[in-house]
Amino acid sequence: MPLLLALCVVVGILIGTFYANHFSGNRLNIINSGSNRLNNLLHIIDDQYVDTVNMDDLVEKAIPEILGELDPHSVYFNAKDVQSANDDLRGSFSGVGIEFVIRKDTIHIQNVIQGGPSEQAGLQAGDKIVSVDDEPFVGEKVTNEEAMRRLKGPRGTKVKIGVMRYHQKNVKYYTVTRDDIITKSINTAYMLDDKTGYIRIKNFGENTYGEMLSALAMLSQEGLSNLVVDLRDNQGGYMASAIQIVDEFLPKGCRIVYTEGRKQPKEIFPSTGRGTYQDIPLVVLINEGSASASEIFAGAIQDNDRGTVIGRRSFGKGLVQKPIEFSDGSVIRLTIARYYTPSGRCIQKPYTTGNDKDYEEDLLMRYERGEYFSQDSIKHTGPAYHTRLGRTVYGGGGITPDIFIPEDTTGITSYYKEAAMSGLILQFAFEYTDEHRDQLKNYDTMPSLLSYLKKQNLVEKFAAYAEKNGLQRRNLMMQRSHTLFERYIYSRIIYNMMDEEAWMEYLNSDDPAIRETQKVFKNGTAFPKAEEKSAGNKTNKK
């Protein structure tokens, strides 16, 4: 009898719940219980909405909106985008091994990676891809995303690529076996002069530390006694990689960075003292495109008075993200902590929760108020802190350099801006390279190629090309911007014909930041000195 009564009670509860849900206005008390509200809302929509709803699609759209209410750096990647989002930092991906640009709705191969599957199959720089796996691939459907989808793939799989080669009328077909392609964070490492080495780090990935050690070892064999680390436009990456590299330059016991969050206890990352380059004069280059891990690097060098930071104020990202994977392979990168430089400053620039507009337009606002051109226009949003030697630095809104380098606007005209922003200069440089590739191959060093290009009257040829493509010729403006046109055109042809290192070597040859760097080394001021302060002015925020 007790068992029968219990069974009747359970059945009664189930029947009552059913009728309450379906005939009593759906007043579910559990909906108002906070964290269960969203889950129950989705169940109600799935159960009772008037039309059929794709619940996966609804959730896919909802997650980014929810994360957008937190901060600008908590983001969501669906399962198909996770791989491409991680490829650059992992240092490898599986594909065909080409660099390409899209011109006039067609893929143009800009560079074939040496030793990669495309080079082995016979593809060449300058080839235009017109089909993939016997399907035409030209026109509006040609986008970066679609090209990546068709050309990337698991290692060992094959893809048939049809190309048009310059001066040839028939399509040539190549079967390429996809393989692992190594992507490097450091493609540029060379000697600026007999004593000064230059290393450019594009991002901080899994293999960046090893690449850095290799670059330093190579430069040491060439007489390295001063070092420039270029972090301009380095948008960051793995914090651990930045910490490893900074550790090479600091003596034991220096604080590199520390992190702290609501659920994350304070964690301090000190230097180990095992670095080989603790005494080398050091300069770090930054600009408004330097963010996250690159700011950890610059902040650690600056706060420990280990070197001189030159350039313009960095981006200002001081938040730490943790990747969290869902069962379907999608991932959120959730902000779990803030990071702080050794002096105690958080360099995260201000943001309004749920409103990314001002945050995204911050760099534009810096430009409009003149910050790119005058150090006096820099607006610090955080308090003053002090470095190990007592120099004043500021938190909030990025790393402010020790030596400011304004953006050079000399020679900029409306004609030049329109030519650059329309893509006409890039297009001209690529087509010129394509048409003269056989001749340009005769020059195997950057200086020899540059010497040849300077004799070709390329600015005049560009003006004629641009006019045919709708940009009215402006002779006076063209003359005022002549040096800028030369620099842009030469640099792109050098990049098309050679590699990234040759391209950077050319750009650095008249770079104001590089000139200032060489002055610092010449004057022996790469190691900052303490400020002289009155006793009442030493308000350290450590």
Side-chain angles (χ1 to χ4, degrees):
M1 182 64 69
L3 183 61
L4 183 60
L5 287 173
L7 185 59
C8 290
V9 170
V10 171
V11 172
I13 291 173
L14 292 174
I15 294 172
T17 301
F18 175 84
Y19 277 93
N21 287 351
H22 288 79
F23 301 106
S24 302
N26 301 316
R27 290 174 293 177
L28 297 178
N29 290 331
I30 195 171
I31 292 178
N32 295 316
S33 65
S35 61
N36 290 322
R37 202 176 305 172
L38 181 60
N39 189 41
N40 283 282
L41 171 63
L42 294 173
H43 280 299
I44 291 171
I45 292 172
D46 191 32
D47 184 50
Q48 300 183 39
Y49 187 65
V50 62
D51 296 319
T52 301
V53 177
N54 185 326
M55 297 304 294
D56 286 340
D57 187 54
L58 186 63
V59 171
E60 193 87 359
K61 293 175 180 176
I63 293 176
E65 295 296 323
I66 294 171
L67 293 175
E69 293 296 316
L70 302 178
D71 67 83
H73 299 292
S74 289
V75 294
Y76 170 75
F77 297 96
N78 60 39
K80 69 178 182 180
D81 292 336
V82 169
Q83 182 68 37
S84 59
N86 291 332
D87 278 345
D88 283 345
L89 297 182
R90 286 178 176 168
S92 68
F93 65 91
S94 185
V96 298
I98 62 170
E99 294 177 6
F100 65 85
V101 293
I102 297 174
R103 293 277 179 266
K104 298 179 180 179
D105 296 330
T106 302
I107 291 179
H108 294 252
I109 297 178
Q110 186 162 282
N111 183 34
V112 178
I113 294 176
Q114 188 174 4
S118 287
E119 184 186 59
Q120 293 174 13
L123 291 171
Q124 298 178 9
D127 286 347
K128 292 184 286 188
I129 295 178
V130 295
S131 71
V132 178
D133 285 332
D134 292 322
E135 291 185 13
F137 192 47
V138 292
E140 294 182 358
K141 62 185 173 184
V142 179
T143 64
N144 278 318
E145 293 75 16
E146 185 62 17
M148 293 290 189
R149 188 186 71 80
R150 297 192 184 206
L151 296 176
K152 283 186 174 182
R155 180 184 181 187
T157 58
K158 298 180 185 296
V159 58
K160 185 179 179 182
I161 298 175
V163 302
M164 289 293 295
R165 188 159 290 168
Y166 192 70
H167 286 324
Q168 294 184 3
K169 296 181 179 180
N170 297 323
V171 177
K172 296 176 69 71
Y173 294 95
Y174 298 88
T175 298
V176 181
T177 302
R178 297 182 179 97
D179 201 350
D180 291 337
I181 307 300
I182 304 300
T183 59
K184 290 188 174 183
S185 300
I186 299 175
N187 281 327
T188 305
Y190 71 98
M191 296 295 289
L192 290 170
D193 54 41
D194 292 343
K195 296 182 178 180
T196 307
Y198 169 92
I199 297 175
R200 178 173 179 250
I201 306 177
K202 295 193 295 184
N203 58 36
F204 289 92
E206 289 183 356
N207 302 323
T208 309
Y209 178 56
E211 292 176 29
M212 185 71 172
L213 293 181
S214 296
L216 287 167
M218 179 194 73
L219 295 179
S220 294
Q221 293 179 349
E222 298 180 26
L224 174 70
S225 56
N226 301 317
L227 179 64
V228 183
V229 177
D230 192 346
L231 301 180
R232 290 176 293 184
D233 298 314
N234 179 322
Q235 297 182 14
Y238 294 134
M239 183 174 73
S241 179
I243 290 171
Q244 284 180 306
I245 296 175
V246 171
D247 192 43
E248 284 296 309
F249 302 104
L250 293 177
K252 185 176 182 179
C254 293
R255 183 176 292 183
I256 295 174
V257 68
Y258 70 89
T259 61
E260 193 169 12
R262 183 175 66 91
K263 293 286 187 177
Q264 302 294 319
K266 184 175 181 178
E267 185 175 8
I268 299 172
F269 298 88
S271 57
T272 65
R274 294 194 291 265
T276 307
Y277 301 91
Q278 297 179 35
D279 299 318
I280 191 170
L282 179 64
V283 165
V284 179
L285 303 182
I286 62 171
N287 66 2
E288 55 282 346
S290 306
S292 190
S294 60
E295 293 174 295
I296 290 175
F297 186 103
I301 296 300
Q302 188 177 58
D303 284 6
N304 285 294
D305 295 297
R306 175 58 186 85
T308 300
V309 178
I310 295 177
R312 292 188 294 276
R313 181 162 67 107
S314 64
F315 182 84
K317 179 184 180 294
L319 302 176
V320 180
Q321 283 72 50
K322 176 183 179 180
I324 301 172
E325 186 173 354
F326 293 112
S327 58
D328 68 342
S330 60
V331 169
I332 62 170
R333 288 181 182 169
L334 185 68
T335 297
I336 60 167
R338 290 179 173 85
Y339 72 76
Y340 300 83
T341 68
S343 65
R345 52 184 170 148
C346 179
I347 52 82
Q348 175 62 43
K349 62 185 177 183
Y351 61 88
T352 303
T353 301
N355 179 14
D356 290 351
K357 183 178 179 182
D358 288 347
Y359 190 83
E360 292 170 352
E361 294 180 354
D362 172 66
L363 298 185
L364 176 61
M365 290 188 284
R366 292 191 200 182
Y367 184 89
E368 290 176 344
R369 65 173 175 254
E371 184 176 318
Y372 289 11
F373 316 108
S374 170
Q375 187 169 8
D376 294 337
S377 298
I378 296 176
K379 304 296 182 185
H380 297 287
T381 59
Y385 295 79
H386 292 91
T387 69
R388 183 175 56 86
L389 294 177
R391 298 186 303 123
T392 302
V393 290
Y394 292 92
I399 302 290
T400 300
D402 302 311
I403 298 175
F404 176 77
I405 303 294
E407 187 172 279
D408 187 4
T409 58
T410 306
I412 291 182
T413 61
S414 59
Y415 177 70
Y416 174 79
K417 286 195 288 187
E418 189 172 353
M421 295 177 68
S422 66
L424 280 172
I425 301 178
L426 278 173
Q427 191 170 309
F428 168 77
F430 193 87
E431 291 188 17
Y432 180 88
T433 305
D434 217 17
E435 293 172 7
H436 299 83
R437 194 173 295 274
D438 290 340
Q439 191 168 5
L440 296 173
K441 283 180 181 178
N442 295 324
Y443 304 95
D444 57 359
T445 66
M446 188 278 290
S448 64
L449 178 57
L450 178 62
S451 177
Y452 170 79
L453 294 176
K454 285 182 175 181
K455 301 172 184 176
Q456 304 310 307
N457 199 17
L458 291 181
V459 176
E460 178 62 33
K461 291 177 181 177
F462 166 76
Y465 172 87
E467 193 162 32
K468 288 181 182 178
N469 286 273
L471 181 59
Q472 185 179 351
R473 186 185 184 100
R474 305 278 188 182
N475 287 329
L476 289 177
M477 289 187 183
M478 189 174 73
Q479 194 59 38
R480 282 179 56 194
S481 301
H482 196 272
T483 300
L484 290 178
F485 275 114
E486 283 186 328
R487 191 172 193 265
Y488 199 160
I489 295 169
Y490 295 164
S491 70
R492 295 315 304 181
I493 296 173
I494 289 170
Y495 183 86
N496 292 339
M497 285 303 302
M498 305 188 83
D499 56 22
E500 193 169 328
E501 182 168 305
W503 175 61
M504 284 305 304
E505 186 177 351
Y506 169 69
L507 292 178
N508 285 342
S509 63
D510 64 347
D511 187 333
I514 296 295
R515 288 199 297 269
E516 188 63 37
T517 293
Q518 291 171 320
K519 287 182 186 177
V520 166
F521 289 133
K522 183 178 179 180
N523 297 333
T525 55
F527 292 104
K529 297 180 180 180
E531 293 179 356
E532 293 185 6
K533 297 178 179 292
S534 62
N537 196 30
K538 294 183 179 179
T539 54
N540 200 319
K541 296 283 184 177
K542 286 187 180 178

